[in-house]
Amino acid sequence: MALFGNIFRKKSKAVIDINTLPVHIAIIPDGNGRWAKRRGLPRNAGHREGSNTLKTIVKYCAKLGIKYMTVFTFSTENWKRPKSEVDGLMSLLKEFLKNAEHELSGSNVRIKVIGDVSVLSEELQREISRVEKLTEKNTGLLLNIALNYGGRDEIVFAVKQIGKEIAEGKLKLSDIDSKLISERLYTCGIPDPDLIIRTSGEKRSSNFLLWQSAYSEYWYTNVLWPDFKPDDLKEAIRDYQLRNRRFGGI
Ligand code: IPE
Ligand code: MG
């Protein structure tokens, strides 16, 4: 039943209010491996299908008028996976970037990669710089691709940076506040996510946007990422719009 669950899923009737859309949607796409396993396919086939889902959802978000989107494509912990899977994920990311201008053309999407890219292959680093440069003037959706990203890693990086600036006399201890810390993170200049979506039934943050998620609304679904459709995104947005965000107030 689970295997065919997506086929019989009824169409979403979610009506979303275009005036109160989340400004920043972050996504933890999960379940590629299980999607493949259920079909007797290699895990990398699930990642390939997941990459197609990503293109569809990015285009849909751009069309809706979402301003920022951050997707967790590869975590600092994912290196623990078998080499063949890591290689597969890296080549899919390279392919995604290579085809982005063609596949996302007309969507006015700007692409930025966040994470420690210094350890990635030179070819991938070149591709990242090329796409970032190529899309930097686009004024639509900003797509942040979290690649070799870890929330703790990012905070360590920011703390080191601040320490360095203090040692060099560029900052005083009293200059440190939460605004300054936000400005030293990879996501500098980007508002915190309003809505964080995780697929496949897992309910963890897994080291994703630790600092930035302080007041984010989480939304979970059992749908596996390769099966995730624009209608599922609409459900998430609808649910988000029904919530009452108080940010610690009453
Ligand atoms: C998420 O799917 C893919 C990424 C790492 C980007 P998984 O590979 O974690 O799929 P499951 O959890 O094994 O089903
Ligand atoms: Mg997983």
Side-chain angles (χ1 to χ4, degrees):
M1 182 57 211
L3 172 57
F4 300 108
N6 63 312
I7 299 171
F8 298 117
R9 229 168 344 124
K10 55 178 195 304
K11 225 174 140 45
S12 163
K13 297 215 171 45
V15 179
I16 56 175
D17 177 357
I18 219 74
N19 299 308
T20 57
L21 289 173
V23 174
H24 182 176
I25 298 180
I27 302 183
I28 304 174
D30 202 358
N32 294 351
R34 277 162 284 170
W35 183 92
K37 193 170 178 213
R38 285 177 191 178
R39 286 162 175 75
L41 298 169
R43 290 180 58 86
N44 282 342
H47 295 315
R48 176 162 291 282
E49 199 55 35
S51 172
N52 290 332
T53 298
L54 182 59
K55 281 173 217 153
T56 305
I57 297 300
V58 169
K59 279 189 242 174
Y60 187 70
C61 281
K63 201 173 92 191
L64 268 184
I66 301 295
K67 297 219 161 47
Y68 304 90
M69 188 177 165
T70 302
V71 189
F72 206 3
T73 61
F74 194 91
S75 78
T76 46
E77 287 72 37
N78 286 149
W79 298 105
K80 291 184 212 150
R81 296 189 178 199
K83 185 174 183 300
S84 59
E85 184 167 347
V86 169
D87 289 349
L89 281 165
M90 290 300 160
S91 69
L92 267 176
L93 283 160
K94 206 159 51 200
E95 201 180 300
F96 182 91
L97 293 170
K98 278 215 161 88
N99 297 335
E101 55 190 300
H102 168 65
E103 308 219 13
L104 299 175
S105 74
S107 318
N108 200 15
V109 173
R110 202 170 113 208
I111 295 179
K112 192 172 175 261
V113 172
I114 60 167
D116 180 8
V117 296
S118 69
V119 298
L120 304 176
S121 74
E122 269 178 35
E123 198 192 351
L124 186 50
Q125 289 189 51
R126 266 201 307 276
E127 194 51 34
I128 291 168
S129 312
R130 190 189 69 84
V131 173
E132 284 183 340
K133 188 116 199 60
L134 185 80
T135 61
E136 78 187 346
K137 298 244 156 58
N138 288 351
T139 53
L141 173 76
L142 170 59
L143 171 65
N144 289 302
I145 299 179
L147 207 181
N148 193 25
Y149 172 88
R152 289 184 173 178
D153 214 52
E154 178 183 37
I155 293 169
V156 168
F157 171 80
V159 169
K160 281 187 181 160
Q161 181 60 35
I162 292 169
K164 187 165 163 269
E165 289 173 53
I166 288 180
E168 289 168 350
K170 292 179 184 154
L171 276 181
K172 297 189 299 294
L173 204 56
S174 57
D175 291 329
I176 303 177
D177 57 12
S178 60
K179 185 170 166 283
L180 180 92
I181 293 173
S182 292
E183 285 166 0
R184 294 301 181 275
L185 300 175
Y186 297 131
T187 51
C188 165
I190 297 163
D192 290 340
D194 301 292
L195 171 64
I196 301 181
I197 296 172
R198 184 167 188 157
T199 58
S200 88
E202 308 289 348
K203 298 184 177 73
R204 290 183 291 281
S205 92
S206 297
N207 202 12
F208 187 47
L209 303 175
L210 291 182
W211 175 273
Q212 300 89 332
S213 61
Y215 285 100
S216 303
E217 297 291 333
Y218 280 89
W219 188 82
Y220 303 104
T221 174
N222 288 330
V223 174
L224 304 177
W225 178 249
D227 290 330
F228 192 85
K229 299 280 180 294
D231 267 354
D232 297 303
L233 187 84
K234 268 169 75 184
E235 291 275 354
I237 294 175
R238 174 71 182 149
D239 195 50
Y240 163 85
Q241 290 180 327
L242 293 172
R243 297 185 193 181
N244 179 9
R245 300 178 84 198
R246 293 180 298 277
F247 300 94
I250 53 171

